[in-house]
Amino acid sequence: MTTANLIATVDLDAIAHNVGVLRERSGAGVIAVVKADGYGHGALPVARTALTAGAQSLGTASIREARELRAGGLTGHITAWLHRPDADFAGAVADGIDIAVSSRRQLAAVLDAARAAGTRAIVSVKVDTGLGRSGVAREEWDDAAADIARAVADGAVELHGVMCHLAFGDEPDHPHNDLQAQRLDAAVADLTRLGAPPAVVHMSNSPAALTRPDLSRDLVRPGIAMYGYSPIPSMGDFGLIPAMTLESQVTMVKKADSGQGVSYNHTWHAPSDTVIGVIPAGYADGVPRMLSGKLQVHIGDRLFPNVGRICMDQLVVDLGPDGGGVREGDRAVLFGPASAAGGAPVPTATDWADALGTIDYEIVSRIGSRPERRYTGGPAAAQPECAAAGHTQGDAHG
Ligand SMILES: Cc1ncc(COP(=O)(O)O)c(C=O)c1O
């Protein structure tokens, strides 16, 4: 029983399995990337599961995300790597978050926060080795490295990691990957020469972790593969298992006469007498409106096409002239792993992404807060009710 219309069930055993695949293929420790609420899967349950499955630490984009993990009882190592200029470094320092800095200005702000708190900050340095995004700019590197070495010598910071992010991780043979690796290694050599060797070095995202173990260094930083999606679909699924199943129920079944318009602006008219089903899922739940007419819903063991516009809260499927044997209350699966239901293959988040010309990262991370999250499998401590009762385990270390 639920009061939510849409349920996103997350299979924590799949997350644990995927962490195992990543550890094995990369030959390195795993920083479980749980930014964007764990790519829509729920950051805390995913984090606890990943750590129990052997991940070494956690990674987020914002300090807020990192602090939410702390507040959720995770006491181990968390790295946060993207900050706006007025970011609250004081809170991050107080929480012992590893703050990855991308500029001398950010390092100075972290040092100010640590000085004010009378403590030592944990810092990583993110180097722009050729992604052309965040990370210390090449022209600033020599001065930034000197600043870091001075801060380490002064005891103001503990230098934890040196990291970069790949521009062509999903093109394993692209020469730019090797260029970025060379530049990262050079940055580590610079810091070591200056007396500030990092504890860990990492650059690989999911595709590199799965296909380029030679780039692994100490750790890898996978996100999407941990959630079960292949980061290079043309190379197969790498044995990954998608963790999320998005499902609802058919909330209404009714006749539509030939010519009857369906949903806003009647973009679809029944070509002949038919039966339609209403699914209580819409774009406010993360079902993109642009998928209107391009989406199929798995009901029973069959697929039924969406017709008419996807609305904020609901969408309509054509069940055919005989209603396809569908009844109100039948389970309706929007996407999930192949095993999510019998009969016709269940659509995947990747199918949605392909239909829209985007990537499955965008599909899953946009499943917002309205669908209820349910968790199956995984360690007991990862279940939200258990965690709320204070039973946490598997904290990050390293
Ligand atoms: C800095 C950084 N590291 C790791 C990741 C994880 O990437 P992926 O989901 O491709 O594994 C991301 C995601 O964008 C990122 O921004």
Side-chain angles (χ1 to χ4, degrees):
M1 296 287 272
T2 178
T3 50
N5 286 333
L6 194 58
I7 312 287
T9 303
V10 177
D11 177 0
L12 296 175
D13 287 340
I15 300 276
H17 165 85
N18 298 332
V19 169
V21 171
L22 285 156
R23 289 176 71 194
E24 198 176 312
R25 290 194 72 116
S26 68
V30 166
I31 301 175
V33 177
V34 294
K35 60 185 177 144
D37 199 22
Y39 289 42
H41 293 64
L44 269 171
V46 169
R48 292 192 181 100
T49 303
L51 292 166
T52 305
Q56 197 154 325
S57 66
L58 303 170
T60 66
S62 71
I63 284 170
R64 178 185 173 147
E65 292 169 324
R67 296 193 71 195
E68 283 171 359
L69 295 171
R70 271 284 181 273
L74 296 178
T75 57
H77 197 94
I78 307 172
T79 306
W81 53 69
L82 187 63
H83 324 292
R84 44 185 262 171
D86 64 351
D88 176 10
F89 290 124
V93 169
D95 274 357
I97 304 298
D98 170 15
I99 305 165
V101 295
S102 281
S103 67
R104 298 179 75 194
R105 182 181 50 71
Q106 281 182 0
L107 177 65
V110 172
L111 288 173
D112 284 347
R115 208 172 296 120
T119 184
R120 198 160 65 138
I122 304 167
V123 163
S124 287
V125 57
K126 190 164 189 259
V127 188
D128 186 355
T129 56
L131 173 57
R133 211 173 67 172
S134 63
V136 178
R138 276 160 69 70
E139 69 270 19
E140 206 189 59
W141 174 250
D142 289 342
D143 291 332
D147 288 356
I148 292 162
R150 203 172 310 116
V152 170
D154 292 349
V157 302
E158 170 192 328
L159 179 62
H160 182 75
V162 176
M163 62 186 279
C164 72
H165 197 45
L166 297 169
F168 292 92
D170 57 355
E171 296 178 43
D173 298 329
H174 199 291
H176 202 70
N177 293 320
D178 299 303
L179 178 64
Q180 288 195 255
Q182 278 165 25
R183 289 175 173 168
L184 186 68
D185 292 342
V188 173
D190 288 344
L191 288 165
T192 304
R193 192 168 16 84
L194 292 168
V200 294
V201 178
H202 44 94
M203 75 183 110
S204 295
N205 55 1
S206 294
L210 292 166
T211 64
R212 291 287 309 265
D214 58 311
L215 299 180
S216 288
R217 304 302 180 269
D218 301 298
L219 299 167
V220 294
R221 260 187 349 262
I224 196 74
M226 188 172 65
Y227 302 98
Y229 300 96
S230 172
I232 315 177
S234 61
M235 290 182 72
D237 67 9
F238 299 96
L240 301 165
I241 303 173
M244 185 187 285
T245 301
L246 190 65
E247 64 179 276
S248 185
Q249 288 183 334
V250 181
T251 194
M252 184 163 280
V253 173
K254 56 169 73 164
K255 287 185 176 159
D257 295 336
S258 178
Q260 183 180 326
V262 162
S263 194
Y264 289 129
N265 303 103
H266 288 180
T267 56
W268 184 83
H269 294 84
S272 53
D273 288 353
T274 190
V275 178
I276 57 172
V278 179
I279 312 295
Y283 58 78
D285 300 295
V287 184
R289 185 172 178 272
M290 293 290 284
L291 269 184
S292 297
K294 298 176 180 165
L295 164 77
Q296 302 202 82
V297 178
H298 193 283
I299 307 168
D301 55 7
R302 290 175 56 189
L303 290 169
F304 296 95
N306 162 235
V307 290
R309 289 239 163 96
I310 293 172
C311 312
M312 184 180 286
D313 317 306
Q314 50 191 302
L315 60 89
V316 178
V317 289
D318 181 10
L319 300 172
D322 63 355
V326 173
R327 292 164 183 267
E328 292 177 0
D330 281 359
R331 181 175 187 231
V333 182
L334 283 98
F335 70 69
S339 58
V346 171
T348 64
T350 313
D351 292 335
W352 285 22
D354 290 347
L356 291 174
T358 184
I359 51 177
D360 39 26
Y361 294 63
E362 185 174 351
I363 301 297
V364 290
S365 64
R366 285 199 173 179
I367 303 302
S369 57
R370 190 158 69 161
E372 179 184 323
R373 298 295 187 285
R374 286 189 187 164
Y375 295 92
T376 61
Q383 298 289 341
E385 344 40 283
C386 186
H391 306 295
T392 55
Q393 67 174 42
D395 290 346
H397 53 85

PDB file of all heavy atoms in Angstrom, residues 33 35 39 81 126 133 163 165 205-207 221-224 361, ligand 1:
ATOM      1  N   VAL A  33      30.432   7.228  -6.447  1.00  0.00           N
ATOM      2  CA  VAL A  33      29.947   8.571  -6.740  1.00  0.00           C
ATOM      3  C   VAL A  33      28.429   8.604  -6.518  1.00  0.00           C
ATOM      4  O   VAL A  33      27.672   7.925  -7.221  1.00  0.00           O
ATOM      5  CB  VAL A  33      30.316   8.995  -8.180  1.00  0.00           C
ATOM      6  CG1 VAL A  33      29.741  10.372  -8.506  1.00  0.00           C
ATOM      7  CG2 VAL A  33      31.839   9.004  -8.343  1.00  0.00           C
ATOM      8  N   LYS A  35      26.635  11.623  -6.046  1.00  0.00           N
ATOM      9  CA  LYS A  35      26.091  12.968  -6.244  1.00  0.00           C
ATOM     10  C   LYS A  35      24.688  12.849  -6.842  1.00  0.00           C
ATOM     11  O   LYS A  35      24.280  11.764  -7.287  1.00  0.00           O
ATOM     12  CB  LYS A  35      27.015  13.770  -7.163  1.00  0.00           C
ATOM     13  CG  LYS A  35      27.196  13.170  -8.543  1.00  0.00           C
ATOM     14  CD  LYS A  35      28.206  13.931  -9.374  1.00  0.00           C
ATOM     15  CE  LYS A  35      28.404  13.238 -10.714  1.00  0.00           C
ATOM     16  NZ  LYS A  35      28.610  14.140 -11.816  1.00  0.00           N
ATOM     17  N   TYR A  39      22.453   9.622  -8.274  1.00  0.00           N
ATOM     18  CA  TYR A  39      21.908   9.530  -9.624  1.00  0.00           C
ATOM     19  C   TYR A  39      20.407   9.170  -9.571  1.00  0.00           C
ATOM     20  O   TYR A  39      19.903   8.392 -10.381  1.00  0.00           O
ATOM     21  CB  TYR A  39      22.658   8.497 -10.468  1.00  0.00           C
ATOM     22  CG  TYR A  39      24.072   8.875 -10.894  1.00  0.00           C
ATOM     23  CD1 TYR A  39      24.957   9.500 -10.019  1.00  0.00           C
ATOM     24  CD2 TYR A  39      24.539   8.591 -12.169  1.00  0.00           C
ATOM     25  CE1 TYR A  39      26.249   9.828 -10.402  1.00  0.00           C
ATOM     26  CE2 TYR A  39      25.835   8.916 -12.574  1.00  0.00           C
ATOM     27  CZ  TYR A  39      26.685   9.531 -11.674  1.00  0.00           C
ATOM     28  OH  TYR A  39      27.963   9.851 -12.056  1.00  0.00           O
ATOM     29  N   TRP A  81      33.758  17.937  -4.841  1.00  0.00           N
ATOM     30  CA  TRP A  81      34.703  18.546  -5.779  1.00  0.00           C
ATOM     31  C   TRP A  81      34.180  19.727  -6.597  1.00  0.00           C
ATOM     32  O   TRP A  81      34.847  20.166  -7.518  1.00  0.00           O
ATOM     33  CB  TRP A  81      35.231  17.490  -6.740  1.00  0.00           C
ATOM     34  CG  TRP A  81      34.172  16.683  -7.450  1.00  0.00           C
ATOM     35  CD1 TRP A  81      33.305  17.111  -8.408  1.00  0.00           C
ATOM     36  CD2 TRP A  81      33.915  15.286  -7.268  1.00  0.00           C
ATOM     37  NE1 TRP A  81      32.514  16.095  -8.840  1.00  0.00           N
ATOM     38  CE2 TRP A  81      32.870  14.951  -8.158  1.00  0.00           C
ATOM     39  CE3 TRP A  81      34.463  14.293  -6.457  1.00  0.00           C
ATOM     40  CZ2 TRP A  81      32.361  13.652  -8.232  1.00  0.00           C
ATOM     41  CZ3 TRP A  81      33.955  13.017  -6.545  1.00  0.00           C
ATOM     42  CH2 TRP A  81      32.914  12.705  -7.427  1.00  0.00           C
ATOM     43  N   LYS A 126      42.037  19.128  -7.623  1.00  0.00           N
ATOM     44  CA  LYS A 126      41.486  18.677  -8.901  1.00  0.00           C
ATOM     45  C   LYS A 126      42.227  19.449  -9.986  1.00  0.00           C
ATOM     46  O   LYS A 126      42.223  20.682  -9.989  1.00  0.00           O
ATOM     47  CB  LYS A 126      39.989  18.975  -8.931  1.00  0.00           C
ATOM     48  CG  LYS A 126      39.231  18.364 -10.078  1.00  0.00           C
ATOM     49  CD  LYS A 126      37.729  18.388  -9.791  1.00  0.00           C
ATOM     50  CE  LYS A 126      36.946  17.599 -10.816  1.00  0.00           C
ATOM     51  NZ  LYS A 126      36.318  18.438 -11.821  1.00  0.00           N
ATOM     52  N   ARG A 133      37.183  21.954 -17.979  1.00  0.00           N
ATOM     53  CA  ARG A 133      36.021  22.226 -17.138  1.00  0.00           C
ATOM     54  C   ARG A 133      36.592  22.689 -15.810  1.00  0.00           C
ATOM     55  O   ARG A 133      37.494  23.522 -15.805  1.00  0.00           O
ATOM     56  CB  ARG A 133      35.196  20.927 -17.032  1.00  0.00           C
ATOM     57  CG  ARG A 133      33.733  21.099 -16.869  1.00  0.00           C
ATOM     58  CD  ARG A 133      32.982  19.795 -16.931  1.00  0.00           C
ATOM     59  NE  ARG A 133      33.267  18.912 -15.811  1.00  0.00           N
ATOM     60  CZ  ARG A 133      32.632  17.778 -15.557  1.00  0.00           C
ATOM     61  NH1 ARG A 133      31.664  17.379 -16.353  1.00  0.00           N
ATOM     62  NH2 ARG A 133      32.938  17.021 -14.521  1.00  0.00           N
ATOM     63  N   MET A 163      43.396  14.515  -8.323  1.00  0.00           N
ATOM     64  CA  MET A 163      42.421  13.908  -9.221  1.00  0.00           C
ATOM     65  C   MET A 163      42.250  14.731 -10.497  1.00  0.00           C
ATOM     66  O   MET A 163      42.567  15.921 -10.534  1.00  0.00           O
ATOM     67  CB  MET A 163      41.055  13.784  -8.528  1.00  0.00           C
ATOM     68  CG  MET A 163      40.445  15.123  -8.120  1.00  0.00           C
ATOM     69  SD  MET A 163      38.912  14.967  -7.145  1.00  0.00           S
ATOM     70  CE  MET A 163      37.688  14.675  -8.447  1.00  0.00           C
ATOM     71  N   HIS A 165      39.464  14.567 -14.257  1.00  0.00           N
ATOM     72  CA  HIS A 165      38.307  13.909 -14.865  1.00  0.00           C
ATOM     73  C   HIS A 165      38.548  13.825 -16.368  1.00  0.00           C
ATOM     74  O   HIS A 165      39.067  14.775 -16.975  1.00  0.00           O
ATOM     75  CB  HIS A 165      37.052  14.729 -14.543  1.00  0.00           C
ATOM     76  CG  HIS A 165      35.769  13.990 -14.750  1.00  0.00           C
ATOM     77  ND1 HIS A 165      35.564  12.695 -14.321  1.00  0.00           N
ATOM     78  CD2 HIS A 165      34.599  14.368 -15.330  1.00  0.00           C
ATOM     79  CE1 HIS A 165      34.333  12.319 -14.626  1.00  0.00           C
ATOM     80  NE2 HIS A 165      33.730  13.313 -15.241  1.00  0.00           N
ATOM     81  N   ASN A 205      36.515   7.521 -14.525  1.00  0.00           N
ATOM     82  CA  ASN A 205      35.067   7.439 -14.344  1.00  0.00           C
ATOM     83  C   ASN A 205      34.623   6.017 -14.734  1.00  0.00           C
ATOM     84  O   ASN A 205      35.465   5.133 -14.961  1.00  0.00           O
ATOM     85  CB  ASN A 205      34.378   8.521 -15.183  1.00  0.00           C
ATOM     86  CG  ASN A 205      34.779   8.451 -16.652  1.00  0.00           C
ATOM     87  OD1 ASN A 205      35.565   7.592 -17.066  1.00  0.00           O
ATOM     88  ND2 ASN A 205      34.245   9.352 -17.449  1.00  0.00           N
ATOM     89  N   SER A 206      33.330   5.785 -14.861  1.00  0.00           N
ATOM     90  CA  SER A 206      32.852   4.418 -15.131  1.00  0.00           C
ATOM     91  C   SER A 206      33.480   3.797 -16.377  1.00  0.00           C
ATOM     92  O   SER A 206      33.990   2.667 -16.308  1.00  0.00           O
ATOM     93  CB  SER A 206      31.325   4.403 -15.289  1.00  0.00           C
ATOM     94  OG  SER A 206      30.698   4.722 -14.091  1.00  0.00           O
ATOM     95  N   PRO A 207      33.419   4.483 -17.528  1.00  0.00           N
ATOM     96  CA  PRO A 207      33.932   3.799 -18.720  1.00  0.00           C
ATOM     97  C   PRO A 207      35.414   3.465 -18.612  1.00  0.00           C
ATOM     98  O   PRO A 207      35.841   2.379 -19.026  1.00  0.00           O
ATOM     99  CB  PRO A 207      33.651   4.789 -19.864  1.00  0.00           C
ATOM    100  CG  PRO A 207      33.390   6.103 -19.208  1.00  0.00           C
ATOM    101  CD  PRO A 207      32.830   5.785 -17.858  1.00  0.00           C
ATOM    102  N   ARG A 221      36.600   6.368  -9.848  1.00  0.00           N
ATOM    103  CA  ARG A 221      35.469   7.173  -9.365  1.00  0.00           C
ATOM    104  C   ARG A 221      34.230   6.930 -10.214  1.00  0.00           C
ATOM    105  O   ARG A 221      33.777   7.798 -10.927  1.00  0.00           O
ATOM    106  CB  ARG A 221      35.848   8.656  -9.475  1.00  0.00           C
ATOM    107  CG  ARG A 221      36.295   9.322  -8.242  1.00  0.00           C
ATOM    108  CD  ARG A 221      36.482  10.822  -8.416  1.00  0.00           C
ATOM    109  NE  ARG A 221      36.439  11.332  -9.748  1.00  0.00           N
ATOM    110  CZ  ARG A 221      37.513  11.597 -10.502  1.00  0.00           C
ATOM    111  NH1 ARG A 221      38.718  11.429 -10.046  1.00  0.00           N
ATOM    112  NH2 ARG A 221      37.350  12.059 -11.734  1.00  0.00           N
ATOM    113  N   PRO A 222      33.656   5.730 -10.152  1.00  0.00           N
ATOM    114  CA  PRO A 222      32.508   5.445 -11.015  1.00  0.00           C
ATOM    115  C   PRO A 222      31.179   5.932 -10.452  1.00  0.00           C
ATOM    116  O   PRO A 222      30.942   5.876  -9.246  1.00  0.00           O
ATOM    117  CB  PRO A 222      32.520   3.912 -11.087  1.00  0.00           C
ATOM    118  CG  PRO A 222      33.082   3.499  -9.767  1.00  0.00           C
ATOM    119  CD  PRO A 222      34.077   4.554  -9.373  1.00  0.00           C
ATOM    120  N   GLY A 223      30.334   6.378 -11.350  1.00  0.00           N
ATOM    121  CA  GLY A 223      28.961   6.718 -11.002  1.00  0.00           C
ATOM    122  C   GLY A 223      28.013   5.792 -11.753  1.00  0.00           C
ATOM    123  O   GLY A 223      27.555   4.772 -11.218  1.00  0.00           O
ATOM    124  N   ILE A 224      27.798   6.071 -13.024  1.00  0.00           N
ATOM    125  CA  ILE A 224      26.694   5.433 -13.758  1.00  0.00           C
ATOM    126  C   ILE A 224      26.786   3.905 -13.759  1.00  0.00           C
ATOM    127  O   ILE A 224      25.761   3.220 -13.656  1.00  0.00           O
ATOM    128  CB  ILE A 224      26.608   5.981 -15.210  1.00  0.00           C
ATOM    129  CG1 ILE A 224      25.269   5.644 -15.854  1.00  0.00           C
ATOM    130  CG2 ILE A 224      27.755   5.488 -16.084  1.00  0.00           C
ATOM    131  CD1 ILE A 224      24.105   6.436 -15.354  1.00  0.00           C
ATOM    132  N   TYR A 361      22.158   8.752 -17.960  1.00  0.00           N
ATOM    133  CA  TYR A 361      22.496   9.539 -16.776  1.00  0.00           C
ATOM    134  C   TYR A 361      21.381  10.568 -16.519  1.00  0.00           C
ATOM    135  O   TYR A 361      20.953  10.795 -15.390  1.00  0.00           O
ATOM    136  CB  TYR A 361      23.766  10.361 -16.991  1.00  0.00           C
ATOM    137  CG  TYR A 361      25.094   9.684 -17.170  1.00  0.00           C
ATOM    138  CD1 TYR A 361      25.353   8.844 -18.240  1.00  0.00           C
ATOM    139  CD2 TYR A 361      26.134   9.963 -16.298  1.00  0.00           C
ATOM    140  CE1 TYR A 361      26.616   8.289 -18.410  1.00  0.00           C
ATOM    141  CE2 TYR A 361      27.395   9.416 -16.469  1.00  0.00           C
ATOM    142  CZ  TYR A 361      27.623   8.574 -17.542  1.00  0.00           C
ATOM    143  OH  TYR A 361      28.869   8.038 -17.715  1.00  0.00           O
TER     144      TYR A 361
HETATM  145  C1  LIG B   1      34.483  14.503 -11.201  1.00  0.00           C
HETATM  146  C2  LIG B   1      33.631  13.299 -11.505  1.00  0.00           C
HETATM  147  N1  LIG B   1      34.072  12.074 -11.210  1.00  0.00           N
HETATM  148  C3  LIG B   1      33.359  10.978 -11.472  1.00  0.00           C
HETATM  149  C4  LIG B   1      32.114  11.062 -12.057  1.00  0.00           C
HETATM  150  C5  LIG B   1      31.357   9.788 -12.365  1.00  0.00           C
HETATM  151  O1  LIG B   1      31.217   9.643 -13.766  1.00  0.00           O
HETATM  152  P1  LIG B   1      30.457   8.376 -14.373  1.00  0.00           P
HETATM  153  O2  LIG B   1      29.049   8.486 -13.917  1.00  0.00           O
HETATM  154  O3  LIG B   1      30.607   8.545 -15.848  1.00  0.00           O
HETATM  155  O4  LIG B   1      31.147   7.187 -13.859  1.00  0.00           O
HETATM  156  C6  LIG B   1      31.597  12.308 -12.391  1.00  0.00           C
HETATM  157  C7  LIG B   1      30.293  12.431 -13.045  1.00  0.00           C
HETATM  158  O5  LIG B   1      30.023  13.217 -13.856  1.00  0.00           O
HETATM  159  C8  LIG B   1      32.376  13.470 -12.105  1.00  0.00           C
HETATM  160  O6  LIG B   1      31.927  14.682 -12.398  1.00  0.00           O
END
